[in-house]
Amino acid sequence: TTPPSAPAVVRDGTGTDISDTNSLTALSANWDFSADAESGVAKYWYAIGTSLGGTDTLGWTDNGTATAVTKTALTLTTGTTYYFSVRAENGTGLQSAASNSNGQKATENIIVPPQPGTAAKPYPNPYNFSNSGTMKFSIDGPAAGEVSIYSSSGRLVKKLTGTNTIEWDGKNESGERVKPGIYLYYTADSSNRKTGKLLIK
């Protein structure tokens, strides 16, 4: 006889709330569970718009009982902020009020990577997701260094920092596993700059 509660928080991204996404074709969000003591929560609906509560990018879409979504095949505009709206529906078809995310700006992080030169030696290379462990990069000297991973098209995938040995688990800045393929890496410390290629299987 009463609608379910609205999701308390809607977060942009696949985990903690993000403010920017480096994709122009996909957006992700996740949200808290709703509750309905009478007939239970049957499904969640989500929409995407360029304003709070807007549906101009994607109209209301059934997401089943899942509390997370990654919508692909979108056409996003660089510099535009996109908002998710989510509402719950109970077993009798009553829907909650919509809860909104605080928005994520679409940015295409295209960077011209350095050309491969003296190759550093990440290990293992090729890196296989079916094997446990992480890929390791050696950084010379006691000072902190960094490793930047780029796609073959020049898009920054992940930037890592550390000393001596820097590890990468094969995930991008959004915490998602990268696709198999060839990637470029760029290592830098106080005295050395090295570039090379790595293969993800």
Side-chain angles (χ1 to χ4, degrees):
T1 59
T2 58
S5 63
V9 179
V10 179
R11 290 168 288 274
D12 295 296
T14 57
T16 57
D17 192 59
I18 62 172
S19 58
D20 297 283
T21 176
N22 62 358
S23 173
L24 294 182
T25 60
L27 291 171
S28 299
N30 66 96
W31 53 88
D32 294 339
F33 286 101
S34 296
D36 189 291
E38 296 169 316
S39 60
V41 174
K43 64 179 67 175
Y44 294 94
W45 295 82
Y46 73 94
I48 305 172
T50 54
S51 61
L52 283 173
T55 59
D56 53 310
T57 303
L58 180 70
W60 288 104
T61 304
D62 186 342
N63 201 50
T65 57
T67 57
V69 65
T70 295
K71 177 60 180 175
T72 59
L74 297 172
T75 302
L76 308 177
T77 303
T78 299
T80 300
T81 300
Y82 295 88
Y83 303 85
F84 274 85
S85 298
V86 180
R87 59 193 185 197
E89 181 178 314
N90 68 12
T92 61
L94 295 175
Q95 294 185 351
S96 71
S99 295
N100 301 309
S101 71
N102 57 12
Q104 55 187 302
K105 183 181 291 185
T107 58
E108 190 172 27
N109 208 358
I110 297 295
I111 299 173
V112 177
Q115 294 300 309
T118 303
K121 299 293 184 184
Y123 180 83
N125 186 15
Y127 176 78
N128 196 322
F129 280 121
S130 65
N131 298 329
S132 60
T134 57
M135 180 177 290
K136 297 177 174 61
F137 295 85
S138 295
I139 299 296
D140 297 330
E146 67 179 31
V147 175
S148 298
I149 310 293
Y150 298 90
S151 68
S152 58
S153 64
R155 179 175 299 172
L156 180 65
V157 174
K158 183 75 173 183
K159 182 172 283 189
L160 311 159
T161 58
T163 56
N164 298 321
T165 300
I166 297 177
E167 298 185 11
W168 183 43
D169 59 3
K171 295 179 180 179
N172 61 20
E173 294 287 0
S174 299
E176 301 162 333
R177 182 179 287 182
V178 300
K179 295 179 180 179
I182 295 175
Y183 292 80
L184 303 176
Y185 64 87
Y186 174 68
T187 65
D189 58 37
S190 58
S191 60
N192 292 284
R193 295 178 183 274
K194 300 177 181 179
T195 63
K197 295 180 179 181
L198 55 89
L199 176 63
I200 305 293
K201 291 186 175 181

